[in-house]
Amino acid sequence: MRTAVDPTGDYRFLSAPDFLNADIGDLRKTPRWRPGMPNSVSPGWRSSLATVMRTWVDEAPDDVLVAGDTVNGHWGRDDSKTGLFGPVNNDAQRRDAIRRAARPYYRQWVERFSSRGLPVHVAVGDHELGDNPWNGKPTADFKRRSLDLFKREFARYALRPNRYTMRPPGPAHNTAYAKYLHDNLLLVTVDVFKRTGTNVIPELDSQQLAWLNRLLGRAKSKVDWIVVQGHTPVAQPVRKDSTSGLTYRGGTSSAFWQTMARHGVDVYLNGEVHDITVLRRNGITQISHGGRLADQSGRGVGNQSFLVADLEGDQMTMRMRRFRPRTTSGARKLWQTIVPQRPVYSTTIAPDPACVGTLALSDDNRLLQSSGLLRPR
């Protein structure tokens, strides 16, 4: 794929967190769908997704990274009482509904990449886990109690963990992994969601943290570049747009960040905040980006950014591009299992998204160049 665009380049990856952050899929072939029932796709969304995927194919990445929020994930609910995923009157029925929703939404999400020959490596986000909060009211408590189920369904259909031989023991065994994407680059994907007795907090569990420490200790003697992706930002402050603003517990003082710093991690990629910020702390370049293609906010629909990174010799050069809507229709909403957070029924994404920033790093961790929204704060 890579040689179609730049035969001199060593390696290219594309990063697009929070894609799609909505349940977009054709439900007509699911067992309970009947004529007259709602659907989670429209002609406008089909066109918009085709524009996005065509743009990414044209970039010819060797790999695509997605740091969480592939779906809306408010499953186990049926606010409009459609019965599409079965009854939701008790916890057992709600868990069955989660399983029935995960299958079509994740499968169609993966198909968008596989049908175009784009290898995709995904992290778990809060929306894969039913969305925060996870305590304080019965629906939130149910999501916390069902955390393992949410993670299993995500891993089963979207992550397909058996593709990865390097995985931690413990709770994150199926949701965290590492892979050498290039002979000089290691990708580590972490699960930043840990269940406690009363909540789910953005923090690595102890077994995953110990695995990360061992893994990174061995990796720097093998490669010059280590990229870690996780859903939430760690360093602060970051720009935010239409988000609950989850952030990693303890920030740059956390054992997670200090482990990455001690072992020379070069780049940490995260989503969650739906805006673009670059911070350099303790030798790590944190890049927060992504967006909500389905969001209807004061700035419109289509705030989906993506990063294209080229590894060439001893340098990594990056470009940030951002989609914007051409037209939107906000009066009608696309069906989701919940009434709030439903995206607009139809949106048209303008092709040729603008470049909004550039950045270049050396393999000895020097900032060589930056511009626009990729200029570190």
Side-chain angles (χ1 to χ4, degrees):
M1 295 180 63
R2 183 73 181 91
T3 55
V5 170
D6 183 359
T8 66
D10 292 338
Y11 174 76
R12 171 176 289 178
F13 70 81
L14 186 151
S15 173
D18 304 323
F19 179 76
L20 286 157
N21 213 318
D23 295 334
I24 309 295
D26 191 342
L27 302 178
R28 289 176 297 176
K29 293 184 179 180
T30 56
R32 286 170 170 76
W33 191 91
R34 299 291 183 271
M37 284 186 169
N39 205 352
S40 293
V41 73
S42 68
W45 272 106
R46 292 183 192 277
S47 175
S48 293
L49 289 175
T51 298
V52 171
M53 300 308 299
R54 183 167 54 249
T55 301
W56 290 351
V57 167
D58 289 346
E59 287 285 4
D62 295 284
D63 291 285
V64 178
L65 316 182
V66 178
D69 282 3
T70 57
V71 293
N72 191 351
H74 284 262
W75 305 332
R77 292 177 56 173
D78 188 6
D79 287 5
S80 51
K81 303 186 186 307
T82 64
L84 260 169
F85 299 122
V88 290
N89 299 315
N90 55 54
D91 280 5
Q93 291 178 349
R94 285 188 276 271
R95 291 190 179 103
D96 284 341
I98 290 170
R99 296 182 185 97
R100 294 184 186 114
R103 181 182 176 96
Y105 287 131
Y106 283 136
R107 280 189 163 185
Q108 292 182 52
W109 189 92
V110 170
E111 174 65 17
R112 294 180 186 109
F113 293 89
S114 61
S115 65
R116 295 168 171 85
L118 295 173
V120 62
H121 309 281
V122 62
V124 63
D126 55 300
H127 279 266
E128 283 79 12
L129 309 178
D131 194 13
N132 65 305
W134 295 280
N135 71 351
K137 56 183 180 179
T139 54
D141 292 338
F142 165 76
K143 290 185 292 184
R144 183 181 71 255
R145 294 195 305 270
S146 304
L147 189 76
D148 292 344
L149 172 61
F150 277 113
K151 288 190 177 185
R152 279 199 305 272
E153 295 303 293
F154 161 73
R156 178 183 182 185
Y157 293 114
L159 198 153
R160 295 155 294 155
N162 290 333
R163 297 184 298 154
Y164 304 101
T165 58
M166 293 185 287
R167 294 184 279 160
H173 180 66
N174 287 326
T175 47
Y177 57 91
K179 183 178 179 63
Y180 288 94
L181 298 182
H182 179 268
D183 59 11
N184 203 22
L185 185 145
L186 173 69
L187 169 70
V188 184
T189 298
V190 293
D191 175 349
V192 299
F193 296 97
K194 183 176 77 173
R195 182 170 54 193
T196 70
T198 59
N199 205 348
V200 175
I201 60 175
E203 185 176 80
L204 269 64
D205 67 88
S206 60
Q207 289 176 284
Q208 184 182 183
L209 184 64
W211 167 80
L212 180 69
N213 185 51
R214 294 191 300 269
L215 175 72
L216 296 180
R218 297 189 298 264
K220 208 56 180 177
S221 64
K222 299 179 180 180
V223 294
D224 291 325
W225 298 96
I226 301 175
V227 174
V228 178
Q229 68 169 346
H231 186 60
T232 61
V234 183
Q236 293 289 334
V238 298
R239 299 180 179 95
K240 301 174 185 178
D241 181 38
S242 299
T243 174
S244 61
L246 289 170
T247 187
Y248 194 89
R249 193 177 190 186
T252 56
S253 298
S254 66
F256 171 45
W257 188 267
Q258 292 302 313
T259 298
M260 292 196 293
R262 184 167 62 252
H263 293 297
V265 167
D266 299 285
V267 177
Y268 176 68
L269 301 170
N270 71 268
E272 169 63 19
V273 293
H274 310 148
D275 210 332
I276 303 167
T277 307
V278 176
L279 298 173
R280 282 173 55 85
R281 304 285 189 269
N282 306 105
I284 304 168
T285 301
Q286 174 182 284
I287 304 177
S288 304
H289 68 299
R292 294 188 63 184
L293 197 66
D295 185 43
Q296 185 179 20
S297 65
R299 297 200 299 171
V301 183
N303 182 32
Q304 174 76 53
S305 64
F306 64 96
L307 181 78
V308 180
D310 285 298
L311 186 64
E312 299 175 302
D314 61 356
Q315 295 185 18
M316 183 182 292
T317 59
M318 308 180 194
R319 296 176 284 115
M320 187 73 74
R321 301 178 68 187
R322 185 162 59 189
F323 288 105
R324 287 299 194 187
R326 175 175 287 167
T327 59
T328 61
S329 174
R332 185 179 175 188
K333 301 294 184 180
L334 193 68
W335 183 83
Q336 310 277 273
T337 55
I338 60 171
V339 170
Q341 300 184 17
R342 288 184 176 178
V344 295
Y345 179 78
S346 182
T347 180
T348 302
I349 304 299
D352 301 321
C355 178
V356 295
T358 62
L359 186 148
L361 301 172
S362 66
D363 62 4
D364 59 357
N365 204 33
R366 288 179 293 121
L367 178 65
L368 302 177
Q369 179 272 332
S370 64
S371 69
L373 291 176
L374 288 186
R375 185 175 291 113
R377 297 184 75 175

